Amino acid sequence: MKKNLLITATLVLFLFNSCGHRVSDAIAITVYTDSIVSDVSKHPVGINLNFIMDGGRFPEAKKNVTEAVKELGTKYLRYPGGEKSDLYLFSIPPYEESHTSLARTIGLDDYPGVFKDGEFVYDPLDFDEFMKVCRDAGAEPVLVIAADNYLRKPEKGERVSSREALIKHAAEWVRYANIKKKYNVRYWMIGNESWNKNNENSTVDIYAQDVIDFSKTMKAVDPSILVIPNGDSDEFFKAIITKAGDYIDRLCVSNYGVFNFNAGYESYKDTTRCLIWPAQTALNAMNKYATPEQLGKWKLIVAEYGTIDWAGLWHGTNDMGHAIVNFDMTGQLLLEPQIEFSCFWNTRWLNNEEQPQTDHDAIDSNGNINPTGYSLLIWNQFMGDKMIKSESKGYIISYASYSPQKDQLFVYLINKGDREENVNIVIPGKVDAKVVQCWEYFGKDDKDLAPVWQQRDVKDKDITLKKYSITVIEYKLTEG
């Protein structure tokens, strides 16, 4: 098969109302297999685990966290999670075993029902248990070390670990993981969202010096590890890169790209949305302030992402609308060649048993996959080695991935609109594209809490995209 192959898939959609009048114009979608955008051969879609919820919290669950992660197909697992990472210690001196402890008792009220008198109510997922999940699921571990909050002033009866104790803990965690246990953990993040107001009494300059000192001590134990600071704004990243750039190996950012959804899902449906502007802010800063040598080895990691609307304009229900937006957000992240991987937030949060569930829980208390979890599962189950250029317009959003060595093409179609679209796929030229399989995920509307995931039989080039749906089609490309 010729390498410079152009496949033009022209989707002609003619929709008629009950009177027989046409209500939709033709839509053309073009997929270019000779235009590679990014390498996704390592399946760079991950998830944040929750050491509080994924241990002994749900002992009667039908599927444990390992089984759920396997079903999701996520190949990067971030642990112990996000902000709670800054209160987590993997062990206590002399650090000879995995024994989960707390770096501080300040702020435990932020986690209602989890702690009582400074102790865990439920058995947490400890570090060795987490590593077993990674190995059983064939996933890469990503660790977040407690580094922030040592500047917070404890009240009477409270305690907080000192800076020196936290640096010592970080070094001992590296030693335990990679020297004693031979886990070969590569990714080590210095704190979580250190720019956040929760990092009381700190500044970007203080954090930059923390990154340097943590990095020096940790790499003295294992020089091969990748040290990763975080940031959010151009100014914050500039300070980290210019002050600590010689001591780091990656950058990370949280990507919550839902912004100005004043009418909820309708704001997304009726406009074209960039859902990765926080990641783009980080990439722009990295490319602006890093030296050529640093750029040659650095990548960006999206430590957290999802459809949470921090402005509260779009209610965060785990429904078909949020699944569609998260699928689109994942696709936009996959198209960025400088992003190494991205981790959805998260498996289960504290209110996991409440109904309806929130959009940021990929699984429920029984380990079943929620709608936003399906938006990850679809990408992970059907992904080629390369993301390639794909053009579309209107209510239909398209992505495509391609494995040249296998002549395998995946086309992903989002119908974010409120009506079905009759699609006729035309692939001209000498190449024959045979449909291998087709799957669809769809809801009655954007608020549907129980969308349907099913395989469908596609025998010809006429395909109807259901309203509020995600469709993936696998093709085998052969010479015509």
Side-chain angles (χ1 to χ4, degrees):
M1 189 185 73
K2 295 181 179 179
K3 291 184 179 179
N4 293 328
L5 176 66
L6 168 65
I7 296 180
T8 302
T10 304
L11 286 73
V12 183
L13 292 79
F14 293 104
L15 303 179
F16 297 85
N17 62 19
S18 59
C19 297
H21 298 125
R22 191 176 75 175
V23 296
S24 178
D25 294 326
I27 297 175
I29 294 178
T30 306
V31 177
Y32 303 89
T33 60
D34 63 343
S35 184
I36 294 172
V37 179
S38 61
D39 185 343
V40 291
S41 58
K42 294 183 179 180
H43 288 239
V45 179
I47 194 168
N48 281 265
L49 267 65
N50 186 336
F51 85 103
I52 296 172
M53 301 293 286
D54 292 332
R57 177 65 181 87
F58 301 113
E60 305 300 324
K62 294 178 181 178
K63 288 182 287 187
N64 61 34
V65 67
T66 301
E67 293 169 321
V69 165
K70 283 183 176 179
E71 187 174 1
L72 288 169
T74 44
K75 293 303 181 184
Y76 293 86
L77 304 182
R78 187 173 181 245
Y79 172 90
E83 187 61 25
K84 60 190 171 296
S85 301
D86 282 313
L87 59 82
Y88 169 93
L89 300 178
F90 93 94
S91 188
I92 56 177
Y95 305 107
E96 293 297 332
E97 61 180 359
S98 181
H99 182 86
T100 306
S101 185
L102 295 174
R104 56 182 167 85
T105 57
I106 297 175
L108 297 189
D109 291 343
D110 294 339
Y111 307 91
V114 173
F115 301 103
K116 183 177 181 180
D117 299 327
E119 300 293 335
F120 292 99
V121 174
Y122 305 101
D123 182 36
L125 183 74
D126 70 32
F127 176 56
D128 283 334
E129 290 170 336
F130 165 72
M131 287 305 304
K132 188 176 187 305
V133 174
C134 291
R135 292 191 166 186
D136 290 348
E140 184 93 20
V142 182
L143 301 183
V144 189
I145 61 172
D148 295 342
N149 290 288
Y150 63 85
L151 290 173
R152 295 182 69 171
K153 303 301 181 184
E155 301 293 335
K156 184 178 180 180
E158 295 179 328
R159 63 177 175 83
V160 60
S161 296
S162 67
R163 183 177 188 270
E164 293 73 20
L166 292 177
I167 293 176
K168 170 69 173 175
H169 166 262
E172 292 299 332
W173 197 357
V174 174
R175 191 185 319 279
Y176 180 84
N178 290 356
I179 308 302
K180 295 178 180 179
K181 301 293 287 190
K182 309 295 183 184
Y183 286 148
N184 191 31
V185 178
R186 297 192 299 154
Y187 299 98
W188 297 81
M189 296 183 171
I190 310 298
N192 176 78
E193 295 184 352
S194 301
W195 44 268
N196 197 298
K197 63 181 181 180
N198 293 327
N199 193 15
E200 192 175 289
N201 299 320
S202 187
T203 65
V204 65
D205 292 325
I206 291 174
Y207 178 62
Q209 188 59 53
D210 286 346
V211 170
I212 293 171
D213 293 341
F214 272 82
S215 179
K216 285 179 177 179
T217 307
M218 294 164 68
K219 288 199 172 193
V221 178
D222 183 356
S224 71
I225 65 171
L226 304 175
V227 172
I228 309 156
N230 60 76
D232 70 325
S233 64
D234 181 90
E235 181 182 7
F236 199 98
F237 278 116
K238 179 182 179 180
I240 297 300
I241 292 169
T242 56
K243 294 177 183 295
D246 291 338
Y247 300 90
I248 64 179
D249 305 281
R250 301 287 191 274
L251 294 172
C252 76
V253 69
S254 294
N255 188 94
Y256 293 106
V258 170
F259 184 68
N260 280 346
F261 275 39
N262 297 288
Y265 181 81
E266 294 298 312
S267 297
Y268 167 79
K269 181 171 72 77
D270 294 334
T271 59
T272 300
R273 290 278 175 170
C274 173
L275 300 171
I276 62 168
W277 53 269
Q280 290 180 341
T281 297
L283 288 171
N284 290 338
M286 186 173 77
N287 292 324
K288 187 190 305 184
Y289 302 117
T291 67
E293 182 181 2
Q294 290 166 345
L295 279 178
K297 64 178 183 177
W298 287 2
K299 289 280 190 178
L300 179 69
I301 294 168
V302 176
E304 301 176 16
Y305 80 96
T307 55
I308 300 174
D309 179 6
W310 294 108
L313 299 174
W314 187 24
H315 187 66
T317 305
N318 208 315
D319 52 27
M320 188 65 210
H322 285 84
I324 287 175
V325 173
N326 199 69
F327 187 85
D328 191 4
M329 187 181 298
T330 306
Q332 292 183 27
L333 291 169
L334 288 170
L335 286 175
E336 288 290 343
Q338 289 179 289
I339 293 179
E340 190 165 6
F341 60 87
S342 304
C343 292
F344 176 76
W345 179 266
N346 66 323
T347 47
R348 293 177 279 219
W349 190 234
L350 305 183
N351 53 353
N352 183 262
E353 293 177 287
E354 295 180 6
Q355 296 297 329
Q357 292 203 314
T358 53
D359 60 316
H360 48 272
D361 281 15
I363 60 177
D364 66 16
S365 60
N366 270 315
N368 300 312
I369 309 300
N370 285 330
T372 51
Y374 270 101
S375 70
L376 311 176
L377 180 150
I378 297 169
W379 276 113
N380 283 322
Q381 284 195 3
F382 305 94
M383 188 183 294
D385 293 334
K386 313 290 182 182
M387 292 295 292
I388 56 176
K389 182 180 177 181
S390 177
E391 296 177 340
S392 61
K393 61 181 180 179
Y395 286 143
I396 306 301
I397 298 173
S398 70
Y399 294 97
S401 68
Y402 180 48
S403 296
Q405 301 302 318
K406 300 177 182 178
D407 293 325
Q408 183 184 45
L409 174 68
F410 294 101
V411 176
Y412 317 88
L413 301 170
I414 300 171
N415 181 5
K416 61 180 181 175
D418 56 5
R419 62 189 183 192
E420 292 187 346
E421 303 285 11
N422 297 318
V423 178
N424 176 251
I425 300 178
V426 179
I427 304 177
K430 297 181 180 180
V431 174
D432 183 25
K434 297 184 182 298
V435 176
V436 176
Q437 58 180 327
C438 178
W439 289 78
E440 59 186 2
Y441 191 59
F442 60 93
K444 297 185 293 292
D445 53 34
D446 63 293
K447 296 178 177 60
D448 194 338
L449 301 175
V452 176
W453 172 239
Q454 67 181 21
Q455 189 171 12
R456 58 180 294 181
D457 187 18
V458 177
K459 294 183 178 179
D460 53 35
K461 295 177 181 178
D462 294 319
I463 300 174
T464 299
L465 302 181
K466 291 183 173 62
K467 62 180 182 178
Y468 304 105
S469 68
I470 302 167
T471 302
V472 56
I473 311 166
E474 178 186 354
Y475 295 97
K476 177 69 173 179
L477 304 182
T478 59
E479 292 290 343

